[in-house]
Amino acid sequence: MNRNTTLNLIEALVKKGILDRESADAMIREAKAKAIADAKAELTEQDGKPSADPRADVPAVKGKSMHVAYVPNIVKDEIRKEVRAELREEVVKEVKAHARKEKWGVPAALPDWVNRFRLSGDFRVRFEDQLFADDNQAFSYYNWPVINEDGGITAAGENAVRNTTVDRQRYRIRLRLGLEAQIADHLKAGVRLATSNDRSPIAINQTLGQYGKQYEVALDRAFLQYDHVDSRGTDWFTVWAGRFANPWLSTDNLFDPDLSFEGFAGTFRLPIGPKAALAEDFFRSGPQYRQINMGVSTPNTAFLTVGAFPLQDIELESQDKWLWAAQGGFDWLFGTSTRVKAGIAYYDYKNIVAQPNALGSRRNDWTAPEFFTKGNSLAAIRSPANDPDGCAVDELVCLVGLASDFNIVDAMVSLDYGGFGANHVMLTANYSENIGFDRREIRRRTGDDIEPKTTAFQVRLDVGRPEIRKFGDWSTFIAYKYLERDSVLDAFTDSNFHLAGTDAKGWMAGMAYGLAKNTWANIRWLSADQIDSRSPPLGIDVLLVDLNARF
């Protein structure tokens, strides 16, 4: 540091009151003495001989300038403070970033098992408006699930008929909290808790306005999952056991977004092209687009998914109710911007049709469905004709079940185009046919001649961000749905369209918009009418407004 600069700094400190004059003069004298000693040492090195008296005056050296090599401690302290003030914020940010990336101290500070757990969840607040068409007729549709539960129409009272004319508004919430644990390489276990007071496999909402009860929490999922990955990183198959997420490439025509599957399933993948990493901005199964379940395939593979799912355990019967299913298809990535997924599935429901009781017997009561909604053709299991002691004389039926068997063939294709950058366009279509409907068998078993109505389809267009992650992200969709009476099982189809069930056709449209990180709002309008012209009019419009957050 130049001598004049040092002196000027000391004078500035005196003027600001940091130093008194006596201390400043002492520092100057000390600095001069140090400078003289250093200069003599430098000259001694140049002449090759020591100086006789280090305190003697230093002769001038022509062509050289004199520098003071000494900086007082108090000046050094002030400089340090200024440097720290300027660099602290930037340095701290960099250190924190490196610490997060490299997980400094975590292995030493936490036990190993902590790193094997992953917590996730989402929360939704919903306003729901149910609007019934003006030409709907009151008391025109029986509420058969309630009638079955209560033991007859008389026992069900006013709840024996559905509300078809009085508009209804509800406020609802949904909280889901999931935990996954990595047990070993490629093997993990998972559980998920969910709020629910609907007691329904296709709706895990908690309706507000029930201060007389506390909120209910259900164990929505509990499963083991094994992923087989070879030494080259090829993911060959995934298997599940327990109660787990929907493994099928499917739409909500077949399976409601909230439906979990319990039993056993596996997806096997065969590479049919170059290995491709899927970018994050493609449509996936998730909380925003669960109406379309994308399955668990990977790009450039052919896949085969199989599953066996017990639907109802029957204590006194050798054969329980089951769903056996298989789906084959392919997942292909064209370049980096276009993904096509397609599959053909067969869903075979076992032992689900209604069997009328013999006179005075209730042996076949187990054939009644444990859960159903509305739309499917029904047949009597118990009635005054075969159960005069259990059913009132004026009852039509005391207990009903499904008239038709269900063996469903479903074809689905989705085209996801990302050539517009972050915003994608996805076109989805699926077609279902229930080939298990046997008109002659139904007439033989029930005495009813039911016309086959066994076709369902949906066409849907999505435009925008596949996933809403931050403020300003948006997406919109429009879809047309058509579900004939016995096309799919009414127990598992979408719970919002036509307020669940089959025998419904109509439009859906909606939009989602990002409000903040992992926070978004969406609005949906669903308008549906009954298909069967011989049934009383039943038009139902549903407005859903949601505020969502995930963590």
Side-chain angles (χ1 to χ4, degrees), residues 249 330 340-343 411-415 427-431:
L249 176 66
F330 68 90
V340 176
K341 296 190 70 172
M412 176 176 165
V413 61
S414 68
L415 172 64
L427 180 63
T428 304
N430 86 294
Y431 177 88

Side-chain angles (χ1 to χ4, degrees), residues 414-460:
S414 68
L415 172 64
D416 185 352
Y417 178 69
F420 301 111
N423 292 320
H424 281 227
V425 175
M426 185 168 76
L427 180 63
T428 304
N430 86 294
Y431 177 88
S432 303
E433 184 72 30
N434 177 20
I435 63 175
F437 187 95
D438 188 331
R439 188 172 187 174
R440 180 180 299 177
E441 168 62 19
I442 294 173
R443 185 169 56 247
R444 181 197 65 79
R445 180 165 30 87
T446 68
D448 296 327
D449 185 19
I450 302 175
E451 182 182 359
K453 298 287 185 180
T454 58
T455 298
F457 65 86
Q458 179 177 178
V459 179
R460 174 172 170 141

Side-chain angles (χ1 to χ4, degrees), residues 103-307:
K103 299 182 179 179
W104 290 357
V106 170
L110 298 175
D112 177 68
W113 63 267
V114 173
N115 298 317
R116 300 199 304 267
F117 284 86
R118 186 175 70 89
L119 186 68
S120 62
D122 63 270
F123 180 76
R124 181 180 71 193
V125 179
R126 165 172 289 179
F127 167 73
E128 178 179 321
D129 198 2
Q130 302 173 4
L131 306 169
F132 296 93
D134 293 338
D135 59 347
N136 288 0
Q137 301 172 16
F139 312 111
S140 56
Y141 283 86
Y142 283 111
N143 193 342
W144 288 111
V146 172
I147 294 171
N148 268 15
E149 183 176 357
D150 291 349
I153 298 174
T154 302
E158 61 181 11
N159 294 323
V161 293
R162 292 184 176 275
N163 173 29
T164 57
T165 57
V166 180
D167 295 346
R168 186 182 183 190
Q169 295 181 347
R170 291 194 291 182
Y171 295 87
R172 317 180 86 182
I173 65 170
R174 183 188 70 184
L175 172 65
R176 301 185 294 190
L177 185 64
L179 180 67
E180 292 186 353
Q182 196 70 39
I183 299 173
D185 290 343
H186 315 307
L187 177 66
K188 67 181 179 181
V191 295
R192 191 174 78 174
L193 302 177
T195 54
S196 175
N197 66 350
D198 282 349
R199 296 178 177 83
S200 163
I202 58 174
I204 52 177
N205 297 301
Q206 174 75 42
T207 302
L208 304 185
Q210 301 186 43
Y211 274 96
K213 302 176 183 178
Q214 293 181 331
Y215 287 176
E216 298 181 21
V217 177
L219 184 61
D220 182 45
R221 289 179 187 168
F223 63 90
L224 286 174
Q225 176 180 327
Y226 177 77
D227 295 278
H228 181 74
V229 182
D230 65 17
S231 59
R232 293 182 295 180
T234 303
D235 187 2
W236 286 98
F237 64 84
T238 302
V239 293
W240 301 268
R243 186 180 176 96
F244 45 85
N246 183 355
W248 310 106
L249 176 66
S250 58
T251 71
D252 57 359
N253 266 18
L254 278 169
F255 305 120
D256 183 272
D258 285 336
L259 180 66
S260 295
F261 284 74
E262 55 183 67
F264 311 91
T267 295
F268 303 87
R269 295 172 285 268
L270 177 67
I272 56 175
K275 187 175 181 179
L278 185 62
E280 291 186 359
D281 57 349
F282 276 89
F283 281 87
R284 286 177 167 84
S285 303
Q288 298 163 57
Y289 287 97
R290 292 295 295 181
Q291 282 77 20
I292 304 173
N293 195 74
M294 301 303 292
V296 288
S297 61
T298 56
N300 297 343
T301 61
F303 66 87
L304 173 65
T305 302
V306 295

